[in-house]
Every structure is written in C-alpha cells, then in structure tokens.
Amino acid sequence: MRLLILLPLLAVATAHVEHFEKRSQPGVSHPDPANLRPLEWGELNVISTTDTHGWLAGHVKENSYSADFGDFASFLSHMREQAYYRRKDLLVVDSGDLHDGNGLADATPVNGQISNPIFQKINYDALAIGNHEMYENDVAENVFRNFAPKWGKKYLTSNVFFKDSHSNKTVPFGNLYNKFRMRFGTRVMSYGFLYNFKGGANNTVVEPANVTVTLPWFQKSLKEDVDVYLVVGHVPVRWSEAQTVVKAIRAVHPSKPILVFGGHLHIRDFTSYDGRAYGLSAGRFMETLGWMSSNCIGKNLTVSRRYLDTNVHTYKTHSLAHPRQRFDTWRGRKISSEVTKQRKALGLTKVLGCAPQDYYLNRYPYTDSRSLLNLVVNDILPFSVTDKKRPYPSVIIINSGSQRFDVFKGEFTVDDTYIVSPFYNDFVYTTVPYKVAKNVLNALNKAPFQKRADDPFGIPALGDNNSTLTPGYVTKDDYGYGGDDWPHSAIPYVPTPNYVSSPLPSGLADGDLVDVAWLTYFSNLVGPILKTLDPANNYTFQTYNAGITTNNMWPIFVQGKWSNSTTC
Ligand SMILES: [Zn+2]
C-alpha cells in the first residue's frame, strides 16, 4: 500500500475570479474562466502532447489555446510538485510531428532549427518520432544528429532508422526501448513506434510494426520484470500498428497494464483495447494536453482520461496547490520570452494585411463564402498563381490537404502564411484542349487519395450544439462524452474534396486550348489521367510560374488585396 498524503488545498476547482498576470505571448487574450472538475490522480499519471507542429507560441488568436510553451513549462513544474507531495508517479510524453504548421518551426533554413531547442527545454520522459521529422533529408539528419542525442534513452524509435552516410550504417534514430523506474516505484518498459509510413526521405527507414514485434530484441525486452508497458507512438491509437504492439505485449503478459499514447490524426481520442490496455491521442497544434491516470497497477486496473484546453486558466486550476500561488516559474517566463524573441527575429509577427472576415478550413462546405478553400480557389489561385504572361486561360488544381488551418478576421501575419499553408509545393502545367481540361479535377477526385501529411480531421462534429458555450472540442471516445475538460459547443466538421481548382474558364469551345496547372507533388496522378482522357496525345509537363509555391501564394495575395484594408 502506498503512502497517501493529501494536500488539503489541492485540486481547488471552484471558479474564482482571477486576474491574469502578464504571461503567454504579447497581445494574446484569455478565455473567461470556466468551472473545471479536478483531475483524477492515480498511482501512475501521464501528461501527453502530440503533433505540436511548431505551435510553441500557443494560439495567439484563439483564447482557448492561448498558453505558450513557457506556460506549459510552468504548469509541468507545478504538476511535478503535486505528484511529489501526493507520492504519485507522473510521466510527460510526446508523440512526434514537431514541424510543418507554424513559422517558428518552418521559417528557418532547416525546419526545427530554432523550435527544436525550445521544445527541448521541456523535461519529457519519453518521445516518439513523427512522419514530419522524416520527409526531408536535412530535417531527418538534424533530428538524428542534434535532436535525438539530447534526449538519450528517452527518444524512442523502435521501428524507425536513419541511414548514416558517415558510417554507412542504418541505425535507430534513438533508442529501441527504455526500461526505467520512477520516483515512487513504478517500473516502466517503454517503446516508440511510427505507423507504417512509406513517404520518408531516402536517409530514413520504417520497419513495419508487425515485423519489429517478432524480433529477438523486442521479445527479449518482454522478459524484463516491469509494472507497466508504455507505448509512445506516432500512430493513431485505433490503427492496426498500435493494436499489433498491444497484442504482442499481451501475448506474453496476459494482464500487465499497457498505456499507448498516439497521434497523427490530429484528433482527441481514447480507446480501451481489452480493459487493461488503453490508448489516448492528444489532438494537435498545442491545443490539447492529454491526461491519463491509472490506479492499482497489478490488480484491478482503473484509468481516467481528460483532454485539457491549453490556456493559463486550465493550467492554474489543475496545477496550483492554492489559487493564490504564483503560477509563472522563472523557467517558464524564460521560455516565453525566448519564443517572443525568436518570433520577432524571424519576422513572424510582421503584419502583411488584414483579413476582412474569418475563413474556415472545415466548418463550411467549400462552396460557402466562409470557407477557406473557397477563398483559395476563387481568389488566391487566380491572383497569385496564374501566369499572366501565358497566352491561354488557366485552371489551377491543388490538393485541399495543402491548406492546414483557419484564417481569422484581422491582422494576417507572416506567421499565418506558415500556419495556413506551410508546404513549399511548386506548380507544373501542360496545355490541353478545353474538353480535356474540364475533366481533370473530377478524375483526380476519383483517383486513389494521395496524402502528404496527416488527415486534416480537425474537430469532429459530435454532441449537441449549445449556444451558451464557446465553440470547441466535443469529443466522443470509448468512454463516451465527458473527456473534454472545458465544456464547449461542437464545431461542425464538413469534409472537403481531396482536390479543388480555380474556376474553369467560361465561354470556351471544346477545342480551345487551356493551361492546366497543378502541384508537382501529385504529378504522378495527373499523368495517367491525361493519358486516359486524351490517349492520342503525349503531354509533357513544365514548371508553371516559376518561384510561386503553395507557401508564398498567400503573402502575394494578402499584400496585393488585403494590405489597404482598414478592418484591422
Ligand atoms: Zn501531425
């Protein structure tokens, strides 16, 4: 029986009028305080992040998620203190994808050059590699040479390898596994898995999880005597790769607790595999901290789960022993000011123009004027991408997954260009008769879907809409509703076609010539489509409007069309 010391004033969860001190990033707003239920602590407690994608500044335009990485550091320091006084073990884990989605990570020559060292200031206990660490050779190399070594045994890559051109060897990015004992006695065996990702740079190798679990090292690791298995993986908790690992452990240990912390789909999720194995995904973009606590490891296992909105009210409510206790730590403040300084140095806060309204990626059909894709296809592609020197009209096609986030009314900054459209995809074109051009988009949307990155799942439309609540996550998982820490009204989620295009030129006859332009990224799909639509001709592709990419088409548009606005 473990000694239980209750702090009389811990877990004060009643609403209290509070004055928000100056913290987070300059100019951010904070949500009206809500009544939050105390977190349930168990013998082993885990805080998890995933798919942070460079959002270490927090969401400067969304108060629900306005805490930055410095606030997160202060929160963790108080939570670790709580764990110590409660004599409970506390783990902090991350499931990968640190770049592609925010200027702090992407505005440097190598993604993560500045954001990784800031990320490293958090004392994580276990980390996994994400697919976004592996698309580019130089990014993968930076992770292998500079990022992974900083974590030692805590960077877990059970099935992910780096081809080291210096040594000519293929070696794990980090550690295959890590066995450790926590302060209050919990003995943990930890692994890190990536889903069966096939799109990595040529200096990376992913071994299928179902192969890894048969290997001698993995089977041997299962013979160690531990209390709990921890799987930190860049894999959705319901995907077969996660189930494969759980089953492999279960085959040897019929009743040992297994805790899986996944990611990749950018959703909040929690699943029970068999009543003694559980998986949790903590959303995306530093909007969510996942919390899982487990009790009575060894006998009857009970777990609780919670998805925390990342704002300072959440952090203070759950971490402070007393509401009047000072929240900011020296370390937290230092991280916040480092983030501020680096954002400024990278020019991310520079205002390029003023968005006249909100534009949403997935809240409305893409034909709606409030849809971001509607703005992209009808205004941005024609303005920024169309090559006006060409003699023919054009139709320009992009994959909707190239656009990653909403644009909010008001200042549009350099940072927003990375947030909305982080990828540097360029365009190619070929000239075809109108009768061919008008059918390419439809054919593409019928072709097998080619994703660069995670499914832009956004926020699932579940639960009742209650207009007295602010819009946000309403999550249904294996325990039903109730996992979300803050009460919200559900945000609608409307799926979009995989490919969208600028309007077809009007008034043309079938034989008139049209430039069809698209992203180089999916040229392999367009080639066969043109062959099918027009078997008699052999089309070759050329660069379209050299220098224009999915990343810079935004600032070109904003500076051209939104810069004189007085709406900011
Ligand atoms: Zn991701």
Side-chain angles (χ1 to χ4, degrees):
M1 187 75 187
R2 290 176 186 175
L3 185 62
L4 184 74
I5 299 176
L6 282 179
L7 288 180
L9 286 170
L10 266 178
V12 176
T14 48
H16 44 267
V17 181
E18 58 187 298
H19 170 68
F20 285 111
E21 298 158 37
K22 197 170 183 317
R23 62 169 69 80
S24 314
Q25 290 305 293
V28 304
S29 61
H30 300 278
D32 291 334
N35 260 330
L36 304 178
R37 299 156 289 158
L39 292 175
E40 294 165 56
W41 284 75
E43 284 164 9
L44 175 62
N45 308 279
V46 188
I47 292 168
S48 85
T49 56
T50 188
D51 296 272
T52 51
H53 288 280
W55 287 75
L56 310 187
H59 290 237
V60 294
K61 297 180 182 177
E62 291 177 286
N63 61 22
S64 287
Y65 320 115
S66 54
D68 68 10
F69 233 49
D71 302 319
F72 180 43
S74 297
F75 169 72
L76 288 182
S77 128
H78 297 301
M79 289 298 273
R80 289 196 192 275
E81 225 165 79
Q82 271 211 47
Y84 179 77
Y85 284 114
R86 290 169 180 266
R87 303 186 69 78
K88 306 289 188 195
D89 282 322
L90 174 66
L91 279 172
V92 185
V93 304
D94 180 76
S95 298
D97 267 10
L98 309 188
H99 330 114
D100 299 333
N102 195 287
L104 193 64
D106 305 342
T108 45
V110 177
N111 286 6
Q113 241 175 325
I114 281 177
S115 57
N116 281 357
I118 298 174
F119 187 90
Q120 283 161 1
K121 294 184 196 297
I122 296 294
N123 242 343
Y124 282 103
D125 299 292
L127 304 96
I129 192 167
N131 52 311
H132 282 262
E133 274 76 90
M134 296 167 60
Y135 281 107
E136 313 286 342
N137 278 277
D138 53 357
V139 172
E141 176 121 14
N142 185 38
V143 170
F144 178 73
R145 302 222 182 275
N146 302 315
F147 187 69
K150 294 262 165 50
W151 299 102
K153 290 179 172 176
K154 296 172 179 177
Y155 200 64
L156 296 159
T157 55
S158 304
N159 68 332
V160 194
F161 302 87
F162 180 74
K163 285 191 204 164
D164 190 345
S165 56
H166 294 186
S167 66
N168 235 346
K169 281 187 180 145
T170 298
V171 292
F173 268 87
N175 241 41
L176 293 174
Y177 66 95
N178 184 26
K179 182 189 167 192
F180 57 97
R181 189 189 185 94
M182 301 183 67
R183 188 195 290 263
F184 296 107
T186 312
R187 294 167 306 163
V188 181
M189 176 62 82
S190 56
Y191 306 101
F193 277 87
L194 178 64
Y195 73 98
N196 199 2
F197 169 57
K198 294 195 173 78
N202 59 16
N203 58 355
T204 66
V205 181
V206 182
E207 183 177 80
N210 58 6
V211 173
T212 308
V213 298
T214 64
L215 297 179
W217 76 260
F218 186 84
Q219 289 298 321
K220 189 161 168 252
S221 75
L222 294 177
K223 295 197 169 74
E224 302 267 355
D225 189 19
V226 296
D227 300 308
V228 60
Y229 285 89
L230 172 74
V231 181
V232 181
H234 196 78
V235 56
V237 292
R238 293 172 197 273
W239 279 18
S240 64
E241 293 93 329
Q243 296 183 15
T244 295
V245 179
V246 169
K247 274 187 199 145
I249 299 170
R250 197 47 91 228
V252 179
H253 299 286
S255 63
K256 281 267 162 78
I258 305 169
L259 307 182
V260 180
F261 293 89
H264 186 58
L265 288 185
H266 295 184
I267 56 168
R268 294 178 171 186
D269 198 13
F270 172 82
T271 190
S272 167
Y273 297 100
D274 61 8
R276 295 191 65 77
Y278 298 90
L280 182 141
S281 289
R284 61 169 194 181
F285 303 163
M286 276 313 281
E287 291 168 346
T288 302
L289 297 187
W291 167 263
M292 201 200 288
S293 67
S294 57
N295 255 320
C296 296
I297 285 171
K299 276 197 294 186
N300 296 328
L301 180 71
T302 56
V303 307
S304 82
R305 55 78 174 101
R306 193 82 66 84
Y307 312 105
L308 312 184
D309 283 5
T310 50
N311 58 67
V312 172
H313 179 70
T314 302
Y315 288 174
K316 289 177 79 171
T317 303
H318 292 311
S319 73
L320 295 184
H322 187 284
R324 295 201 181 280
Q325 189 187 347
R326 187 180 172 79
F327 175 73
D328 290 322
T329 60
W330 176 82
R331 194 182 170 74
R333 275 195 179 278
K334 205 159 173 267
I335 294 172
S336 293
S337 54
E338 173 76 4
V339 169
T340 309
K341 192 181 98 191
Q342 295 293 1
R343 291 185 81 230
K344 202 156 180 249
L346 290 168
L348 301 179
T349 50
K350 186 178 174 222
V351 177
L352 298 175
C354 297
Q357 62 170 81
D358 293 341
Y359 294 95
Y360 296 103
L361 199 51
N362 285 108
R363 271 187 214 194
Y364 302 100
Y366 91 103
T367 47
D368 191 290
S369 63
R370 291 162 295 183
S371 154
L372 181 115
L373 288 175
N374 187 289
L375 174 77
V376 170
V377 299
N378 290 312
D379 297 283
I380 298 181
L381 294 179
F383 183 83
S384 304
V385 182
T386 297
D387 186 345
K388 277 118 197 154
K389 299 183 295 297
R390 294 281 309 154
Y392 307 117
S394 64
V395 55
I396 301 160
I397 308 172
I398 62 163
N399 58 315
S400 53
S402 66
Q403 304 301 294
R404 306 281 284 180
F405 204 69
D406 304 330
V407 165
F408 300 114
K409 183 179 176 177
E411 292 180 348
F412 187 99
T413 62
V414 171
D415 201 15
D416 288 312
T417 66
Y418 293 98
I419 288 171
V420 180
S421 193
F423 303 119
Y424 294 84
N425 293 151
D426 59 358
F427 293 84
V428 285
Y429 81 102
T430 193
T431 307
V432 302
Y434 177 71
K435 66 171 190 259
V436 175
K438 70 183 178 189
N439 290 313
V440 176
L441 180 67
N442 263 345
L444 261 174
N445 274 319
K446 284 186 194 132
F449 181 27
Q450 177 168 314
K451 296 192 305 167
R452 174 183 169 103
D454 330 286
D455 289 331
F457 263 51
I459 298 163
L462 293 166
D464 296 327
N465 247 326
N466 182 335
S467 58
T468 62
L469 300 171
T470 55
Y473 284 95
V474 178
T475 310
K476 191 184 182 198
D477 59 25
D478 279 10
Y479 277 6
Y481 293 102
D484 300 299
D485 193 39
W486 280 68
H488 285 297
S489 62
I491 293 173
Y493 176 85
V494 182
T496 52
N498 294 329
Y499 300 90
V500 291
S501 86
S502 62
L504 271 176
S506 56
L508 297 186
D510 270 356
D512 291 343
L513 291 178
V514 176
D515 288 338
V516 179
W518 63 91
L519 295 173
T520 315
Y521 163 62
F522 55 86
S523 272
N524 62 328
L525 296 181
V526 179
I529 285 170
L530 290 174
K531 195 87 219 148
T532 311
L533 292 175
D534 190 6
N537 279 309
N538 229 344
Y539 294 109
T540 53
F541 312 152
Q542 290 171 57
T543 301
Y544 187 72
N545 213 350
I548 301 297
T549 68
T550 40
N551 182 258
N552 66 18
M553 68 184 192
W554 271 92
I556 291 169
F557 172 79
V558 172
Q559 285 176 311
K561 292 284 191 179
W562 286 354
S563 63
N564 296 326
S565 172
T566 52
T567 51
C568 275

